[in-house]
Amino acid sequence: MEPKLQELLQAVIAKTPKGELKWRSHSDESFRVAVGSGHVHISRSPGRTEGESDAPVARTYLAQVTDAQRRVVTETQATTGHEGDGALLAELFEVARKSALKTESVLNEMLDVLRGTAAP
């Protein structure tokens, strides 16, 4: 992965949990966030490693950066379990998913109900 793209993705990962970036869901496996006049997209494709059926699932991640005209200006792809940037892209996917789906809010609301502290 080119160094500037890696720096950009790491900055997006750092700013997302702080609420500085708001991701949007395009499907269960695809998310997008605006950064300046461009966007960062992250998607994941499920897959299986070759071999036995109980083998761990390998996931392929695709990160793309688009400009204001929605043209892909750079992209990178990686598969977990292989050399490369799989861990970075998996982390980006998870923070994007949690932001887009408002995971913390949903969990907090459910815990409030279970604790009996939910507002009527």
Side-chain angles (χ1 to χ4, degrees):
M1 175 185 312
E2 57 189 87
K4 280 191 179 181
L5 178 56
Q6 184 174 8
E7 182 181 354
L8 173 70
L9 298 181
Q10 288 171 334
V12 167
I13 289 169
K15 290 190 174 287
T16 297
K18 298 175 186 176
E20 296 177 37
L21 297 173
K22 304 292 184 197
W23 288 83
R24 298 181 69 112
S25 174
H26 283 277
S27 72
D28 289 344
E29 303 295 326
S30 178
F31 304 94
R32 180 177 78 176
V33 67
V35 180
S37 63
H39 288 87
V40 174
H41 304 257
I42 184 70
S43 59
R44 156 178 97 172
S45 305
R48 289 220 169 259
T49 57
E50 292 185 27
E52 299 178 8
S53 61
D54 62 346
V57 173
R59 300 234 185 221
T60 299
Y61 296 88
L62 172 65
Q64 296 179 314
V65 176
T66 57
D67 64 11
Q69 289 76 39
R70 298 186 187 244
R71 296 176 297 199
V72 175
V73 295
T74 189
E75 65 184 3
T76 188
Q77 181 174 319
T79 302
T80 56
H82 296 89
E83 286 189 32
D85 301 305
L88 177 67
L89 297 185
E91 183 179 7
L92 178 65
F93 182 87
E94 287 304 315
V95 298
R97 184 182 61 78
K98 287 178 181 179
S99 172
L101 301 179
K102 299 176 178 39
T103 300
E104 288 298 315
S105 294
V106 171
L107 294 175
N108 287 337
E109 186 271 332
M110 293 172 78
L111 285 169
D112 286 348
V113 168
L114 293 171
R115 292 177 182 146
T117 59

